[in-house]
Amino acid sequence: MSEIKGLELQLQTLPTNPGVYQFWDKNDKIIYVGKAKNLKKRVSSYFSKVHDYGKTNVMVKKIVNIKHIVVETETDALLLENNLIKKYQPRYNILLKDDKSYPWICIKNERFPRLFATRRMIKDGSEYFGPYTNFKTIHTLLDLFKELYPIRTCNYDLSPKNIDEGKFKVCLEYHIGNCLGPCEGHQEEKEYTNQIVAIRDILKGNFSKIRKDFKEQMTIFSAELQFEKAHILKEKLEVLENYQARSTVVNSRDIMVDVFSIISDESAAFVNFLQIVEGAIVRSHTMELKKKLEETEQELLELAIVELRSRFNLIAKEIIVPLHGLRVEEGVKITVPKLGDKRDLLDLSIRNAKYYRIDQYKQLKIVDPERHTNRIMDQMKKDLRLSEEPRHIECFDNSNIQGTNPVAACVVFIDGKPSKNEYRHFAIKTVEGPDDFASMTEVVYRRYKRLLEEKQPLPQLIIIDGGKGQLSAALKSLEKLNLRGKIAIIGIAKRLEEIYFPGDSIPLYLDKKSESLKIIQQLRNEAHRFGITFHRNKRSKDALQSSIENIPGIGEKTRITLMKHFKSMKRLSQATEKEISLVVGLSKAKKILDFYSNTKK
């Protein structure tokens, strides 16, 4: 049986139940794992059309075998998909980029338990809390516990026999008050265990119980006139509340939720989560998911939620997300807030994801500038609906003031960066008066007529500074040169940064923080700057020429020499006799000085 007939048979016999499917290649290796509400419908879709995304088409060509696992619900499929991806790491599945070992806080399984940070989990009955995304958080917590509770740091075997036989002596930690000396029997095991219970509650985020216990003990000590002990407890209570206050972001202290947000582009998605316990952020982390195929934000977020809740032992019964229709664990409430504290938390999570993406891309720009450029070009292709990446972009801008000295500028960007040696100025030749549309038609025609004649490479994208009118004017020239449809062209109107396409009256509005829009704006601003500079120089030059023409005894050849040297009327009028004589001789220098001295009177 041929591979194609074998696949057709497998597709025909697939069930319509929820489940997980696996694609295998000719080497009997899993290349992709996916989940589906309807296995038959989802898997068949891979083979029933040509996909827009190239990698999907490549993957489909490599499939020689399909296997599936039927489950009861979509949630079960989601959990199974996550486990299989982590186990087999298929080539075409999303890449989770932060599979490093995270630190934990360990309460050691021993008499008078120790408390310490570790990256290793040993199955000896010890308790592990975390994992935490960095050691800074762990050190903050350990410092907090050190101020609240005197816990031993030694690794002695504090068995009743060893303590009774006096095998150990108290150390410096005992003398400075950081330990109560259980090694010599100065502290009872019950008292020590109560401290560990309190620490465990804090690690679980249960601050309210500890605050209540401290306040009750303070009241008892005050009633018994033990003000020194009451004051010590008051200081500990302040330490606890100060720690919690640093992370409090909502008014409701009873909120216990996990917050997930996602932002994505062509190559990757970034998922941030915040763990909220009693209204305080106790953990925050951002995960990067490297895209492989045409994954939607919903698919990416579902995968990330399952992974993060499993990895960080998240147990909240409510999660806050930005998208409707997500599938997660049974019994978990999904909230998509629009207003209030929960919306503020979601916005904070989104902001964290955006900052993380910006940091990653800044690092990428430094470490791998070529990959950074490729990503930007790919994003522009998608945002502007282009057929190819705009590696070569040219932008045109007209410049005139009150209709005088009309000029235009063309700036060129290669791979998203200015190529200043390719910039060009245009003095308008065929247009009378301030007519921006006709001027645009002229310069676009002149620019590309010359490129065609000289057989120079044409750009992939032309940007016109202006709205529909300027864009239509530029299109006339492209049509005349038989280039319409061969070069992509857009117009950008400055008022609302609307982007216009030929033949489409409805403009495109890119996100104000879009990298594509920033490059377009940079091109537009650079063309405007370059055009204004040329316009000013031309006006100054014309003014100089006009003033020189009025000087008696100065001919055309001398005027040209003066214009080339002094550039402006102001410089010439302020020059000394010696400076002018070095250019045109002493006799003519005196005539020029006499002219300007009489003009100033």
Side-chain angles (χ1 to χ4, degrees):
M1 183 185 296
S2 68
E3 291 177 357
I4 295 177
K5 289 185 178 179
L7 286 175
E8 289 177 352
L9 184 60
Q10 289 177 348
L11 291 172
Q12 291 173 13
T13 56
L14 280 170
T16 57
N17 305 69
V20 171
Y21 55 91
Q22 305 164 24
F23 293 153
W24 297 68
D25 65 10
K26 63 182 180 181
N27 299 317
D28 202 30
K29 184 176 181 181
I30 296 179
I31 58 174
Y32 188 74
V33 172
K35 66 180 181 306
K37 180 179 180 180
N38 182 319
L39 280 168
K40 187 181 184 68
K41 186 176 179 180
R42 180 70 183 102
V43 176
S44 297
S45 70
Y46 284 95
F47 301 89
S48 60
K49 64 178 181 178
V50 176
H51 300 272
D52 295 333
Y53 196 60
K55 285 188 178 179
T56 306
N57 293 319
V58 172
M59 181 194 72
V60 171
K61 291 178 182 178
K62 293 182 178 181
I63 301 170
V64 299
N65 192 15
I66 303 169
K67 296 182 181 180
H68 65 271
I69 303 171
V70 174
V71 294
E72 289 293 325
T73 65
E74 292 179 69
T75 302
D76 293 337
L78 180 65
L79 295 172
L80 179 56
E81 177 198 36
N82 180 262
N83 291 333
L84 291 175
I85 289 174
K86 286 195 289 185
K87 180 177 180 181
Y88 294 108
Q89 297 182 351
R91 179 179 178 181
Y92 290 97
N93 275 103
I94 298 163
L95 177 62
L96 305 177
K97 291 197 67 178
D98 57 350
D99 291 333
K100 59 186 177 182
S101 175
Y102 289 99
W104 302 73
I105 289 179
C106 174
I107 298 178
K108 191 68 175 174
N109 181 26
E110 59 191 0
R111 194 163 182 255
F112 298 100
R114 286 171 292 148
L115 194 72
F116 56 85
T118 181
R119 289 188 187 272
R120 296 177 58 206
M121 294 182 66
I122 302 173
K123 295 182 179 180
D124 60 355
S126 299
E127 292 181 86
Y128 292 88
F129 295 86
Y132 295 88
T133 53
N134 57 62
F135 265 106
K136 182 178 179 181
T137 304
I138 286 183
H139 291 318
T140 301
L141 284 167
L142 293 178
D143 289 342
L144 171 69
F145 297 143
K146 190 173 182 180
E147 292 190 54
L148 296 178
Y149 307 105
I151 301 296
R152 75 179 179 115
T153 57
C154 63
N155 58 359
Y156 297 149
D157 177 10
L158 299 186
S159 64
K161 180 182 178 183
N162 289 340
I163 293 174
D164 292 341
E165 292 178 356
K167 283 193 173 184
F168 311 113
K169 297 294 182 182
V170 293
C171 61
L172 179 62
E173 290 291 301
Y174 171 79
H175 293 294
I176 62 177
N178 290 338
C179 178
L180 298 182
C183 58
E184 286 193 29
H186 298 314
Q187 183 180 23
E188 293 184 1
E189 186 176 2
K190 182 179 179 181
E191 180 188 358
Y192 193 99
T193 301
N194 289 337
Q195 293 181 160
I196 295 298
V197 170
I199 289 173
R200 188 182 291 113
D201 284 335
I202 293 174
L203 288 171
K204 290 179 178 179
N206 188 4
F207 293 94
S208 56
K209 183 177 184 301
I210 308 303
R211 287 197 303 269
K212 182 180 178 182
D213 290 345
F214 278 170
K215 288 178 180 179
E216 288 178 352
Q217 291 179 44
M218 281 172 57
T219 303
I220 293 171
F221 285 140
S222 297
E224 295 175 353
L225 305 181
Q226 299 184 51
F227 299 117
E228 186 175 341
K229 290 184 178 180
H231 182 70
I232 292 172
L233 280 177
K234 181 184 177 183
E235 289 179 337
K236 291 186 175 184
L237 182 60
E238 288 174 352
V239 169
L240 180 65
E241 290 183 337
N242 285 338
Y243 168 76
Q244 190 182 14
R246 284 202 299 270
S247 296
T248 301
V249 293
V250 291
N251 295 326
S252 305
R253 292 223 172 209
D254 60 344
I255 287 183
M256 181 176 178
V257 296
D258 297 331
V259 186
F260 297 90
S261 66
I262 182 170
I263 57 171
S264 66
D265 53 35
E266 281 293 286
S267 60
F270 300 86
V271 175
N272 173 266
F273 91 89
L274 304 175
Q275 183 182 7
I276 313 298
V277 179
E278 293 192 8
I281 297 176
V282 297
R283 184 183 286 117
S284 174
H285 181 60
T286 301
M287 165 189 285
E288 179 180 356
L289 296 90
K290 194 70 177 176
K291 290 185 178 179
K292 292 298 184 72
L293 300 175
E294 300 167 279
E295 299 91 355
T296 65
E297 284 198 342
Q298 178 174 331
E299 292 172 330
L300 294 167
L301 189 54
E302 285 177 346
L303 177 66
I305 290 173
V306 171
E307 171 65 19
L308 290 168
R309 281 179 65 89
S310 171
R311 180 183 298 178
F312 292 101
N313 300 319
L314 306 179
I315 59 173
K317 295 301 181 184
E318 180 183 4
I319 65 171
I320 295 173
V321 293
L323 304 174
H324 291 281
L326 292 177
R327 295 179 294 272
V328 294
E329 304 164 45
E330 296 291 344
V332 176
K333 178 184 176 184
I334 299 176
T335 301
V336 184
K338 292 184 177 180
L339 297 170
D341 287 339
K342 292 182 179 181
R343 180 67 221 188
D344 292 339
L345 284 171
L346 181 58
D347 290 339
L348 178 63
S349 178
I350 293 171
R351 196 154 61 245
N352 274 278
K354 287 181 177 178
Y355 286 144
Y356 183 86
R357 179 176 67 172
I358 290 170
D359 288 342
Q360 293 299 104
Y361 286 163
K362 283 180 179 178
Q363 294 173 23
L364 177 63
K365 188 175 182 179
I366 296 169
V367 176
D368 193 345
E370 183 179 352
R371 184 179 160 204
H372 172 75
T373 298
N374 293 341
R375 183 185 61 78
I376 294 289
M377 292 295 100
D378 192 49
Q379 189 66 39
M380 286 193 74
K381 176 185 173 184
K382 175 191 174 187
D383 290 343
L384 300 176
R385 307 186 294 238
L386 306 176
S387 60
E388 58 182 328
E389 293 180 353
R391 295 286 177 167
H392 178 176
I393 308 174
E394 297 189 354
C395 181
F396 292 86
D397 178 45
N398 290 328
S399 180
N400 68 73
I401 298 177
Q402 296 178 345
T404 64
N405 304 102
V407 298
C410 171
V411 298
V412 180
F413 274 33
I414 304 296
D415 287 339
K417 298 175 184 177
S419 181
K420 295 195 174 183
N421 60 327
E422 301 290 332
Y423 286 14
R424 293 293 182 269
H425 287 134
F426 297 88
I428 305 302
K429 297 178 179 179
T430 63
V431 180
E432 295 291 335
D435 188 336
D436 278 350
F437 297 158
S439 297
M440 186 63 72
T441 301
E442 178 189 323
V443 296
V444 171
Y445 180 81
R446 286 167 56 189
R447 170 64 174 169
Y448 297 113
K449 183 175 183 292
R450 181 164 186 171
L451 289 185
L452 289 171
E453 289 174 346
E454 296 178 356
K455 296 182 179 180
Q456 296 293 319
L458 297 171
Q460 286 89 36
L461 175 64
I462 298 171
I463 298 174
I464 303 299
D465 181 16
K468 289 183 286 185
Q470 283 90 343
L471 180 60
S472 297
L475 280 168
K476 291 178 182 178
S477 295
L478 294 186
E479 286 178 348
K480 192 174 181 180
L481 294 167
N482 196 29
L483 291 177
R484 182 163 183 175
K486 297 178 181 179
I487 306 175
I489 182 169
I490 62 172
I492 177 169
K494 194 169 186 177
R495 188 171 67 90
L496 296 173
E497 306 292 36
E498 310 104 310
I499 294 174
Y500 288 94
F501 293 85
D504 191 347
S505 61
I506 301 175
L508 170 70
Y509 295 93
L510 292 176
D511 188 293
K512 297 301 180 185
K513 295 182 180 179
S514 161
E515 290 176 298
S516 298
L517 180 59
K518 287 180 180 178
I519 288 181
I520 294 170
Q521 290 171 329
Q522 187 183 355
L523 274 150
R524 189 263 316 280
N525 296 340
E526 183 72 351
H528 186 67
R529 179 200 64 77
F530 192 56
I532 286 291
T533 301
F534 180 50
H535 185 270
R536 286 172 179 166
N537 291 340
K538 192 172 186 302
R539 276 192 302 142
S540 179
K541 185 177 179 181
D542 289 349
L544 173 61
Q545 184 173 357
S546 177
S547 67
I548 294 174
E549 287 175 351
N550 296 323
I551 301 175
I554 300 298
E556 183 178 353
K557 190 173 180 180
T558 304
R559 289 198 297 268
I560 293 172
T561 303
L562 288 167
M563 287 164 56
K564 286 182 178 179
H565 184 81
F566 289 101
K567 308 294 185 184
S568 73
M569 182 179 68
K570 184 178 180 181
R571 288 182 184 174
L572 178 61
S573 65
Q574 293 177 348
T576 64
E577 183 180 283
K578 183 177 180 181
E579 289 173 335
I580 300 173
S581 65
L582 290 173
V583 180
V584 295
L586 183 59
S587 174
K588 292 178 179 177
K590 288 182 177 179
K591 292 179 181 180
I592 294 169
L593 287 175
D594 289 342
F595 173 79
Y596 281 117
S597 62
N598 291 329
T599 303
K600 293 176 183 177
K601 290 180 181 179

